Amino acid sequence: MSNDLQGTSIAFLCAPEGTEQVELTEPWTAVEQAGGNPRLVSTQSGRLQAFNHLDKGDTFPVDTTVNVSDHTEFGGLVLPGGVANPDFLRTDPAAVAFAKSFFDAGKPVAVICHGPWTLVEAGVVRGRTMTSWPSLQTDLRNAGATWVDEEVQICEDGPNVLVSSRKPDDLKAFCQAAVEAFKR
């Protein structure tokens, strides 16, 4: 266990339900193992209902909401996937603004699976090279991104480091790249 992220809080932005549980818990553990402080940010206080694909998983306590927090409290942002999670987030103006603020501030962002939908809505993917769940490639291309089919993509062609991955099978590489990006 390293302490590379000691004293650094990392935001995990999730909707009240629909987050793919493993895409929340594995990066969360990676941040903790690096000495960081993961914090669950949502659009509502209370508990978040995670999912294992289409089946309900565990619930997790929300630490803060997008209405009372901003990027200045965090060293980076993780956007887990799950189909419903980013679809809900992209319809919430405060959640979209919260995600966009990390790009505006030049802070690292790590996104996996369907998570890029929130970034498409935030208008921050133009000119970026990234990957995602394959069904999002047209959305990303239409928003001006270059889509690649890779386990993990690290893009530095923009105001911040953007780490992206396709699916749960990519989590080992995703977690490693995200922690490296958050150390910068």
Side-chain angles (χ1 to χ4, degrees):
M1 178 169 158
S2 72
N3 286 323
D4 294 334
L5 295 179
Q6 189 65 40
T8 304
S9 291
I10 304 297
F12 283 70
L13 178 59
C14 299
E17 63 180 333
T19 299
E20 185 68 29
Q21 184 164 317
V22 71
E23 294 173 2
L24 169 63
T25 58
E26 286 199 22
W28 186 282
T29 298
V31 167
E32 285 181 326
Q33 289 177 343
N37 177 32
R39 294 184 59 213
L40 189 54
V41 181
S42 190
T43 58
Q44 299 173 11
S45 59
R47 295 189 71 82
L48 173 151
Q49 175 65 62
F51 279 73
N52 298 310
H53 192 52
L54 298 176
D55 298 321
K56 283 187 176 181
D58 298 325
T59 63
F60 300 88
V62 172
D63 294 309
T64 188
T65 65
V66 294
N67 295 322
V68 298
S69 291
D70 66 37
H71 70 85
T72 61
E73 301 170 45
F74 305 100
L77 172 65
V78 175
L79 290 162
V83 178
N85 174 48
D87 194 46
F88 177 88
L89 290 175
R90 69 182 175 164
T91 65
D92 186 292
V96 172
F98 182 81
K100 184 179 184 306
S101 72
F102 285 81
F103 287 79
D104 294 342
K107 293 187 176 183
V109 173
V111 61
I112 187 167
C113 199
H114 288 78
W117 270 337
T118 306
L119 301 181
V120 167
E121 190 65 31
V124 295
V125 301
R126 180 167 304 284
R128 305 307 293 266
T129 301
M130 56 192 307
T131 193
S132 67
W133 186 256
S135 65
L136 274 67
Q137 64 183 294
T138 299
D139 297 328
L140 288 166
R141 287 181 178 134
N142 287 343
T146 300
W147 187 86
V148 294
D149 185 11
E150 295 178 10
E151 179 180 54
V152 66
Q153 175 64 41
I154 302 164
C155 180
E156 298 183 43
D157 296 331
N160 63 340
V161 176
L162 176 58
V163 175
S164 57
S165 282
R166 302 170 298 192
K167 56 190 173 184
D169 289 347
D170 300 336
L171 276 165
K172 183 176 180 180
F174 176 72
C175 292
Q176 182 179 359
V179 167
E180 285 298 316
F182 297 146
K183 289 189 322 189
R184 297 181 183 192

